[in-house]
């Protein structure tokens, strides 16, 4: 019995296969994809003006409108039986109609309210829309 030498069988194959795309390139591509995805999510989230914000202030209540100024910015909203959602003062239930007790008579009232950003069709103008109101006791 004779042993085959390298010259008899040809070159011995390399045990590690050659990669078509180097591992470093794959890692770099994956990192770029994650960063690009994060950037797109950020742009979509900030460009839409979505989200709700909560503020507290002393509102001036008129016969059919109220306004409150917080941080140098005025917020106005209509007072009507079908106007907006409002919450009980004690943190109780919500109401999808009617007028909150503190806004039923002209004068001043402390309120907590939520607003959402709204963007105009031109993409340049924007404003804040009061979406809900809650009467509060302010000490």
């Amino acid at each position: 019995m004779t042993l085959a030498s390298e010259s008899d069988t040809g070159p011995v194959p390399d045990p590690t296969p050659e990669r078509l795309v180097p591992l470093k390139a794959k890692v770099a591509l994956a990192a770029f994809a994650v960063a690009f995805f994060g950037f797109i999510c950020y742009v979509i989230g900030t460009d839409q003006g979505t989200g709700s914000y909560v503020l507290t202030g002393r509102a001036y209540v008129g016969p059919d409108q109220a306004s409150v100024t917080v941080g140098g910015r005025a917020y106005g909203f209509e007072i009507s039986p079908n106007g907006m959602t409002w919450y009980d003062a004690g943190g109780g239930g919500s109401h999808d109609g009617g007028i909150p007790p503190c806004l039923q008579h002209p004068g001043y009232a402390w309120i907590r309210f939520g607003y959402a950003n709204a963007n105009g069709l031109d993409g340049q103008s924007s404003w804040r829309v009061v979406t809900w109101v809650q009467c509060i006791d302010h000490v």
Side-chain angles (χ1 to χ4, degrees):
M1 171 181 217
T2 61
L3 295 175
S5 64
E6 184 176 318
S7 61
D8 293 338
T9 60
V12 177
D14 187 6
T16 58
E18 186 175 327
R19 296 178 184 209
L20 297 176
V21 178
L23 182 60
K24 288 182 183 180
K26 288 181 181 179
V27 171
L29 183 62
F32 174 78
V34 168
F36 184 71
F37 179 74
F39 174 74
I40 294 298
C41 290
Y42 171 78
V43 169
I44 289 172
T46 58
D47 188 43
Q48 298 304 314
T50 58
S52 184
Y53 305 91
V54 178
L55 297 173
T56 301
R58 189 173 181 223
Y60 172 74
V61 181
D64 57 358
Q65 293 182 342
S67 66
V68 57
T69 302
V70 178
R73 189 163 194 159
Y75 302 83
F77 54 94
E78 183 180 356
I79 300 172
S80 70
N82 297 319
M84 71 179 68
T85 301
W86 62 276
Y87 295 91
D88 293 330
S94 66
H95 306 271
D96 288 330
I99 299 174
C102 64
L103 302 179
Q104 292 179 357
H105 305 287
Y108 288 94
W110 282 94
I111 62 169
R112 178 177 295 118
F113 64 98
Y115 74 87
N117 291 317
N119 295 324
L121 293 176
D122 59 3
Q124 301 296 318
S125 59
S126 66
W127 60 94
R128 295 178 176 179
V129 179
V130 176
T131 56
W132 59 267
V133 173
Q134 179 182 27
C135 300
I136 60 171
D137 294 325
H138 186 70
V139 181

